[in-house]
Amino acid sequence: MKDNAAVLYQQEVPQMPNTLSISRRSFARMVGAGTACAVARPIISVAAPSVSYLSSTFTARAPEMAGLVRLNSNENPYGPSPMAIKAMSDAFSLAWRYPDEHADLLIDTLAKMNGVSREQILLGDGSGEILKMCASAFTGPMGGYRRTFELAKPTRGPALKFVPGRGKMIVADPTFEAILNHAQVNGAEVVKVPLTKTFAHDLPRMRRAAVEGLIYVCNPNNPTASITPKQDLRDFINSVPQSTMILVDEAYFHYADSADYESVIPMIKDHPNLIVARTFSKIYGMAGLRCGYCIAKSDTIQRMRPHQTWDSVNIMALAAAIASLNDTEQVSNGRRWNSETKKFLTGELDAMGYQQIPSQANFLMIDVKRPVRPLLDGLKSKGVQVGRAFPALPNHMRVTIGKRSEIETFLSAFRQVTA
């Protein structure tokens, strides 16, 4: 595979015409066929650097990374689908184009998969951008005058109206923290509600704390890998006033296999205050490419759009995402490999006497029975990185489920630092 890029760059093709138009249908055929030669381009004779060269250059620049086992960011160690890698290679010659056709095709595909209209899909630079837009659009100071601004017509789509967000940000403690920072930057009050004894979201308390604004529910939750029971979440969504928005982050949806878990995407049709976020970073192995999306009512999507940079998702990520959805084995293989390695890890930890929070994701929260910080430092000194310390759970260690060999290395180091 390492020579594909060089071949692509060296290939002679006819001179590009002054104008070029690609229909969505012809672009879809091009992606499906896996060929970038459907688009004419100038002759380019510059050889692309090989993968081995890039790898050695990176290692030379960061020697401290060599041999490091990284189990700290909940990444998929098996990487993207081979079809996604091929699609990115084929898309090299399209890098000069804005990603309109790619975005349209991905939106159409996601809409069809989820049984919604394309106006209900908003793509993001990873689900992180989706979270940021939600915090910006739906939280903010409660005081002050709320004026609606008419925005200049953008390059694509209708003119938009901007309505400043207001209200509290309500989150679990602990949960994924990035959205807290976005809300605070937006001037919103942030209210943290501790998880229950079973590490589920305390939904009644979260509802009582809300004043307009946004309630964030990460399910499965990061960093605990725990779920909130499906009936509890259904009842909660049905009870929250429409003046308060609900964002359910389903980043780890594909890994959850409990009978007490389900996606809440079907509930969007009856709840204009519900938003569901998804990402290609986890099961699809695209954390470094940055592509995510959300599903909501079209009016809700329109309120979020003013907070987004145009074309924030790059053409390579879009091509990879489209191909990933067409790979029938990516999700099933990822789930199986994760489950097998997680079973091995939990078995070893059980034998050592260390309990864990039941995991419904691609990471595990281990009760180390002591302050975790010294153990994190000890593991790092042995070339193993695991998740950071979480103040709400000071005796717990978060470990990403890596490959079997990486978990074996972790266990060896873990035994040494806990001896």
Side-chain angles (χ1 to χ4, degrees):
M1 177 187 136
K2 72 176 185 178
D3 293 326
N4 285 353
V7 171
L8 200 62
Y9 275 88
Q10 291 170 337
Q11 192 174 24
E12 283 195 2
V13 294
Q15 180 67 32
M16 179 180 66
N18 290 331
T19 60
L20 181 63
S21 175
I22 305 177
S23 71
R24 190 179 307 170
R25 179 177 299 176
S26 63
F27 176 76
R29 286 199 302 267
M30 180 185 67
V31 172
T35 173
C37 296
V39 179
R41 54 183 170 83
I43 297 173
I44 302 175
S45 60
V46 179
S50 69
V51 173
S52 60
Y53 169 78
L54 293 173
S55 178
S56 62
T57 301
F58 175 78
T59 302
R61 290 179 179 176
E64 71 279 2
M65 301 297 290
L68 187 67
V69 175
R70 299 173 64 178
L71 303 173
N72 57 331
S73 297
N74 303 341
E75 297 156 330
N76 181 347
Y78 307 103
S81 158
M83 291 173 62
I85 295 173
K86 175 66 164 59
M88 286 187 285
S89 296
D90 290 347
F92 285 162
S93 65
L94 296 178
W96 58 277
R97 289 193 66 88
Y98 287 110
D100 297 12
E101 289 86 6
H102 292 71
D104 285 344
L105 182 55
L106 179 56
I107 288 170
D108 287 343
T109 303
L110 291 169
K112 183 177 180 180
M113 286 179 60
N114 290 283
V116 299
S117 69
R118 68 184 323 273
E119 290 75 26
Q120 292 182 255
I121 304 285
L122 182 62
L123 302 180
D125 182 31
S127 59
E129 186 182 24
I130 299 296
L131 270 58
K132 183 179 186 297
M133 285 190 284
C134 287
S136 299
F138 304 117
T139 73
M142 287 299 294
Y145 176 64
R146 293 191 78 194
R147 177 186 172 189
T148 298
F149 298 90
E150 192 79 26
L151 302 182
K153 184 170 182 174
T155 55
R156 291 175 300 282
L160 302 173
K161 291 184 178 180
F162 172 70
V163 181
R166 59 183 255 167
K168 299 178 181 180
M169 168 67 75
I170 312 298
V171 299
D173 189 23
T175 195
F176 185 56
E177 301 101 332
I179 196 167
L180 282 70
N181 297 331
H182 299 318
Q184 289 176 323
V185 168
N186 211 40
E189 178 185 352
V190 174
V191 178
K192 298 180 180 181
V193 178
L195 295 172
T196 67
K197 292 181 179 179
T198 59
F199 301 100
H201 287 71
D202 192 337
L203 297 175
R205 285 187 62 186
M206 296 178 79
R207 184 187 183 284
R208 289 195 296 270
V211 179
E212 297 188 33
L214 179 68
I215 301 175
Y216 174 67
V217 178
C218 187
N219 194 37
N221 187 46
N222 181 11
T224 55
S226 53
I227 60 170
T228 297
K230 60 186 181 183
Q231 189 59 53
D232 292 349
L233 191 53
R234 282 186 208 143
D235 294 342
F236 168 75
I237 292 171
N238 286 328
S239 70
V240 172
Q242 292 190 9
S243 58
T244 298
M245 302 300 295
I246 307 166
L247 170 60
V248 179
D249 185 347
E250 295 185 350
Y252 301 97
F253 157 80
H254 296 95
Y255 290 109
D257 58 8
S258 170
D260 209 13
Y261 177 82
E262 68 180 7
S263 171
V264 296
I265 288 175
M267 297 189 70
I268 290 172
K269 67 180 186 301
D270 299 318
H271 296 86
N273 60 331
L274 177 60
I275 307 162
V276 177
R278 291 279 184 88
T279 184
F280 286 87
S281 294
K282 305 305 177 183
I283 198 77
Y284 293 108
M286 290 173 46
L289 287 165
R290 314 309 303 135
C291 186
Y293 64 99
C294 73
I295 304 176
K297 289 285 192 179
S298 57
D299 289 348
T300 299
I301 296 295
Q302 289 296 84
R303 288 183 62 186
M304 295 170 63
R305 286 192 186 279
H307 301 276
Q308 183 174 41
T309 302
W310 283 111
D311 297 328
S312 63
V313 186
N314 71 77
I315 205 164
M316 297 301 174
L318 291 165
I322 295 163
S324 295
L325 294 175
N326 289 323
D327 185 346
T328 58
E329 296 183 351
Q330 177 69 15
V331 171
S332 59
N333 284 341
R335 290 184 62 160
R336 185 177 73 255
W337 295 333
N338 179 75
S339 178
E340 290 171 353
T341 308
K342 181 164 59 176
K343 184 177 180 180
F344 165 72
L345 175 57
T346 56
E348 293 295 307
L349 292 169
D350 288 342
M352 297 164 61
Y354 289 100
Q355 296 182 342
Q356 319 99 45
I357 298 174
S359 171
Q360 289 290 309
N362 66 334
F363 56 94
L364 193 66
M365 201 67 152
I366 307 165
D367 184 355
V368 296
K369 301 182 287 190
R370 69 187 83 175
V372 73
R373 172 55 63 187
L375 299 184
L376 303 183
D377 296 338
L379 288 171
K380 187 176 181 180
S381 71
K382 297 183 180 299
V384 178
Q385 287 185 347
V386 295
R388 62 195 177 279
F390 295 90
L393 294 171
N395 293 348
H396 281 73
M397 175 186 293
R398 192 189 69 183
V399 180
T400 300
I401 309 299
K403 294 181 179 178
R404 172 71 176 251
S405 60
E406 294 173 320
I407 294 302
E408 289 173 345
T409 300
F410 160 74
L411 286 168
S412 176
F414 183 75
R415 289 186 176 98
Q416 294 176 54
V417 301
T418 57

